[in-house]
Amino acid sequence: MSREPGVDLVGTVRPVALEQLGLLEGEAFLARLDLVLPDLRDALEEVYGAHGDVARLVPDLVADALAAATSRPEPLRVLDRRREVDPSWFLAEDVVGYVCYADRFAGDLRGVREHLDHLEELGVRYLHLMPLLKSREGENDGGYAVEDYDAVDPRLGTMADLEALAEALHERGIALCVDLVLNHTAREHVWAQKALAGDPAYRAFYRFFPDRTEPDAYERTLPEVFPDTAPGSFTHLPETGEWVWTTFHEYQWDLNWANPAVFRSMLGVLLTLANRGVDVVRLDAAPFLWKRVGTNCQNQPEAHRILQALRALTRLAMPGVLLKAEAIVGPDELVPYLGGHERYRPECDLAYDNQLMVMGWSALAARDARLPAQALARRRQVPRQSGWVTYVRNHDDIGWAVGDEDAWAVAVDPARHRAFLADFYAGRHPGSFASGADFQADPGSGSVRTSGMTASLAGLDEALEHGWPADVDAALRRVELLHAVAYAFGGIPLVYMGDEIAMRSDPDWAAEPEHGDDNRWLHRPRMDWVAAERRHDPQCPEGRIFSALRAMAAARRSTESLRSDADTWVVNQGNPRVLAWVRHHPRAAPVLGVACFSDGEELLDATVLRHAGITDPRPLLSSDGPLDWWSGQLRLHPWSYAWITTT
Ligand code: GLC
């Protein structure tokens, strides 16, 4: 049992836990407490030790976790039990995800409930609904400016609707993921309003500065997130003459996580939200929680420790609930969010594989898979208890995060390549098939990001405009190809709403006045349910992509080698236009993934199969039917893919 000199926390908690939770659940809670306490104390000591209040903080937080465990509804406790028995439930081969805004998908939360058949048809077992808590009126960054964490946005429904939806999802075996915006609140949040009114307890929830001295010092090394529309990271408050930290927009005030009261309040928000039936909590903007002068104020050790402490307390209260880090950071900074530090420290269960996404688009534009092969082969394995979410694009822009070291390793100039990708996907590069748009061009750093729906970036707009069937076919093949990588590389594949029926960028994205200067709305369209009716017609784009994604989900389901926790390694082979990787799980035959980033035919040496341990190859799934052999080599059609296994 974990003890501190003179303090036996487990002993103190024991009678209360047994009384509140009963013998069996109480003992289970105490066993979890034993397990997480060292990690929790360690993490909090490092973050809040200087304040000297950790000895008081820990029992308070454990009491909060116990209260949340006590009020946890029974059906959710049943889920907890099952997940404690099978802690890798979310890494299973049949878990496929879908992401949408409730309103854009189906009007509101009740509407979402009416469209669950659509998700089931796609094989979805994980649904991420974009921010749905009450956000401020007017501009709210797509819901990422929360005014009230205890209320569902009235435009989407009520807490009761959210609970009913979670229940309906659970009945179908679908887990629900919801955003928790923990780096900042809207300036309209009651904490911010009290702070503005001068309440010292709430002033300590944010970071105010009397003048520009400290902001200037920080800004010397702070990158800007929205250089174009929201430059700088601080906002002047005419009410008080001060400056407040606002990493994102002026109406999003960064919380002061150096204050333990912020930690405790946010823990409360997290546990309450999860008790509504949320299975996976997406921790928005996780890298930004800790600020340190002289740094970019991302990925600071304390930010990781805060996540580790949140994880320990969530596990304690509700062991079936997962944390997912939204950390869109450089390739070398990613794995720590999954607990991969100098030693394993349980942190988040899931994180976005931003690198795989960027590398897919890079290969598609360059017709060259060497950079992806280099970057993906080099990075560290993720701890087995955790996994990626993989995706072709998401609701944000694509930032061209090409690592300098990786680019130079394959003789590519990183800055030029980043510029090439931005030009290519904005349709500026000669011969480009894409029709995306620049997002937040920053003349200072030279960085340009990209907005657009998958199908539009892959060339469908251009192709339909010219009406050449071969171009339409190529564009759709590219959409499938990228999904075939996301579905098989390792992780929960996420389909972003509309991509399953090849929807193109929204021409009316700027129609809502509050979206006008944010072209990420190009790829946040309203679901086209009329087009979705064509999803079974193989002659049209909707049917092509929908049936391809269904087939990918079905093929995944058939082999444990495509589980998220099966090993992945990139295969070195001679063809620069082909990305090949092996998936392996001890209980199943290996799978070789092959993705051909070329508009011509390519050959792959058959020895690759042997090296992968595949003796009698057969396609588990492929874009072009049976394997096509040509004088001992595998012939790959333009933009083709295959998942090859052995009989
Ligand atoms: C995350 C969200 C993004 C939002 C930002 C600020 O990065 O994905 O959409 O703008 O956080 O909350």
Side-chain angles (χ1 to χ4, degrees):
M1 190 176 291
S2 324
R3 287 172 204 279
E4 259 189 11
V7 188
D8 174 5
L9 183 58
V10 182
T12 322
V13 172
R14 171 173 293 274
V16 197
L18 295 182
E19 194 205 315
Q20 292 190 2
L21 293 174
L23 180 65
L24 292 183
E25 289 217 23
E27 283 295 347
F29 183 92
L30 293 165
R32 292 197 297 274
L33 181 56
D34 253 344
L35 271 180
V36 303
L37 204 49
D39 285 343
L40 179 65
R41 281 200 173 120
D42 244 36
L44 292 174
E45 192 58 50
E46 203 169 309
V47 181
Y48 300 117
H51 299 260
D53 33 24
V54 172
R56 276 218 326 271
L57 185 61
V58 172
D60 284 349
L61 298 175
V62 170
D64 293 349
L66 178 58
T70 307
S71 58
R72 189 151 172 82
E74 191 172 55
L76 301 181
R77 294 187 197 198
V78 172
L79 275 176
D80 286 343
R81 276 292 168 88
R82 299 191 69 94
R83 291 169 179 174
E84 277 190 287
V85 172
D86 176 14
S88 62
W89 61 276
F90 61 107
L91 304 170
E93 60 274 23
D94 61 346
V95 181
V96 166
Y98 190 82
V99 189
C100 62
Y101 293 85
D103 57 337
R104 307 226 133 206
F105 180 62
D108 56 17
L109 293 176
R110 286 173 182 226
V112 173
R113 245 162 87 193
E114 278 151 32
H115 284 95
L116 297 184
D117 287 347
H118 179 78
L119 303 183
E120 252 195 310
E121 245 189 87
L122 257 186
V124 169
R125 296 274 324 276
Y126 165 111
L127 174 65
H128 173 194
L129 290 177
M130 296 298 292
L132 49 73
L133 298 181
K134 184 167 190 255
S135 57
R136 73 194 288 274
E137 285 296 323
E139 270 187 58
N140 58 34
D141 192 20
Y144 285 104
V146 178
E147 185 184 310
D148 183 353
Y149 291 100
D150 293 324
V152 163
D153 198 291
R155 291 162 279 206
L156 301 177
T158 62
M159 270 300 171
D161 292 334
L162 180 63
E163 288 170 353
L165 175 59
E167 210 179 303
L169 289 166
H170 290 152
E171 271 164 25
R172 294 180 186 238
I174 302 176
L176 174 63
C177 170
V178 165
D179 278 86
L180 176 61
V181 186
L182 76 173
N183 176 68
H184 44 266
T185 71
R187 59 166 286 155
E188 288 75 12
H189 191 283
V190 61
W191 300 338
Q193 288 304 303
K194 285 187 178 167
L196 257 188
D199 182 333
Y202 288 97
R203 281 181 55 82
F205 268 48
Y206 300 91
R207 294 170 178 272
F208 297 104
F209 304 93
D211 54 41
R212 285 289 314 180
T213 317
E214 277 189 79
D216 284 344
Y218 279 109
E219 280 191 346
R220 275 195 273 281
T221 51
L222 263 181
E224 293 174 308
V225 178
F226 300 126
D228 193 9
T229 50
S233 298
F234 300 87
T235 296
H236 187 249
L237 299 174
E239 297 91 332
T240 64
E242 292 167 302
W243 293 80
V244 64
W245 198 307
T246 52
T247 299
F248 296 91
H249 296 95
E250 40 83 24
Y251 52 80
Q252 289 162 306
W253 289 14
D254 285 44
L255 284 162
N256 174 20
W257 280 83
N259 175 0
V262 166
F263 182 96
R264 192 170 180 196
S265 302
M266 269 308 183
L267 173 72
V269 168
L270 195 170
L271 298 178
T272 306
L273 184 64
N275 268 351
R276 305 289 190 175
V278 173
D279 305 278
V280 181
V281 181
R282 175 190 183 273
L283 302 178
D284 181 63
F288 295 86
L289 301 185
W290 198 266
K291 327 290 189 195
R292 174 167 283 117
V293 78
T295 71
N296 65 359
C297 296
Q298 293 181 43
N299 314 312
Q300 296 299 306
E302 291 86 347
H304 286 288
R305 301 304 249 157
I306 287 167
L307 298 176
Q308 289 157 20
L310 287 175
R311 159 48 153 86
L313 289 155
T314 310
R315 267 303 190 278
L316 175 60
M318 39 193 70
V321 171
L322 306 177
L323 301 184
K324 177 172 65 167
E326 190 244 349
I328 308 303
V329 294
D332 297 327
E333 316 274 16
L334 269 174
V335 180
Y337 287 92
L338 293 173
H341 297 275
E342 73 292 352
R343 71 168 173 82
Y344 173 61
R345 293 177 192 280
E347 197 164 316
C348 292
D349 305 282
L350 289 165
Y352 288 80
D353 192 348
N354 182 53
Q355 200 186 16
L356 183 68
M357 187 267 288
V358 170
M359 288 296 113
W361 290 108
S362 168
L364 210 66
R367 277 85 159 167
D368 193 325
R370 279 174 295 186
L371 177 59
Q374 153 70 24
L376 296 166
R378 186 176 67 86
R379 73 175 179 194
R380 290 159 59 195
Q381 291 283 337
V382 306
R384 207 171 280 283
Q385 299 87 330
S386 55
W388 298 113
V389 289
T390 57
Y391 51 105
V392 172
R393 56 106 188 165
N394 69 16
H395 75 285
D396 282 327
D397 49 286
I398 304 177
W400 298 111
V402 172
D404 288 0
E405 191 185 322
D406 293 321
W408 289 122
V410 292
V412 166
D413 177 324
R416 282 180 58 185
H417 190 59
R418 288 190 283 264
F420 158 71
L421 292 171
D423 282 347
F424 188 94
Y425 285 108
R428 279 190 298 271
H429 196 270
S432 164
F433 47 69
S435 46
D438 287 345
F439 179 73
Q440 302 286 332
D442 181 8
S445 66
S447 130
V448 186
R449 290 129 71 183
T450 299
S451 288
M453 288 290 279
T454 298
S456 299
L457 298 179
L460 191 57
D461 298 31
E462 282 271 304
L464 288 174
E465 214 170 280
H466 298 133
W468 289 324
D471 285 358
V472 174
D473 180 59
L476 295 174
R477 288 177 73 86
R478 291 189 283 260
V479 172
E480 286 181 38
L481 173 62
L482 290 180
H483 282 96
V485 175
Y487 269 65
F489 200 83
I492 302 178
L494 302 182
V495 177
Y496 276 76
M497 193 211 83
D499 281 354
E500 77 275 28
I501 51 166
M503 278 181 70
R504 292 179 284 140
S505 297
D506 183 358
D508 301 322
W509 67 272
E512 273 99 325
E514 62 273 24
H515 297 170
D517 66 356
D518 186 346
N519 72 16
R520 291 178 296 177
W521 291 93
L522 271 167
H523 50 265
R524 301 169 179 176
R526 280 173 213 288
M527 183 63 176
D528 185 345
W529 289 108
V530 174
E533 278 175 22
R534 296 192 288 273
R535 71 190 180 283
H536 299 304
D537 176 355
Q539 303 310 322
C540 60
E542 291 83 359
R544 276 268 303 264
I545 302 302
F546 195 81
S547 67
L549 298 189
R550 284 186 72 180
M552 289 181 204
R556 265 182 72 102
R557 268 198 298 278
S558 73
T559 174
E560 286 177 293
S561 286
L562 293 178
R563 287 177 60 91
S564 297
D565 54 1
D567 288 333
T568 302
W569 69 87
V570 175
V571 180
N572 246 327
Q573 43 77 38
N575 191 325
R577 298 192 195 278
V578 175
L579 180 68
W581 69 98
V582 179
R583 303 296 316 284
H584 184 258
H585 188 276
R587 277 199 302 254
V591 172
L592 175 75
V594 173
C596 175
F597 291 96
S598 168
D599 20 31
E601 280 192 351
E602 300 294 332
L603 295 171
L604 184 70
D605 203 287
T607 53
V608 173
L609 290 161
R610 250 203 345 269
H611 287 146
I614 296 175
T615 43
D616 189 7
R618 71 172 171 92
L620 182 65
L621 186 73
S622 83
S623 49
D624 297 275
L627 301 178
D628 182 1
W629 295 101
W630 186 80
S631 121
Q633 306 189 81
L634 194 57
R635 184 158 42 194
L636 305 173
H637 297 252
W639 312 114
S640 64
Y641 65 88
W643 302 347
I644 304 168
T645 189
T646 188
T647 32

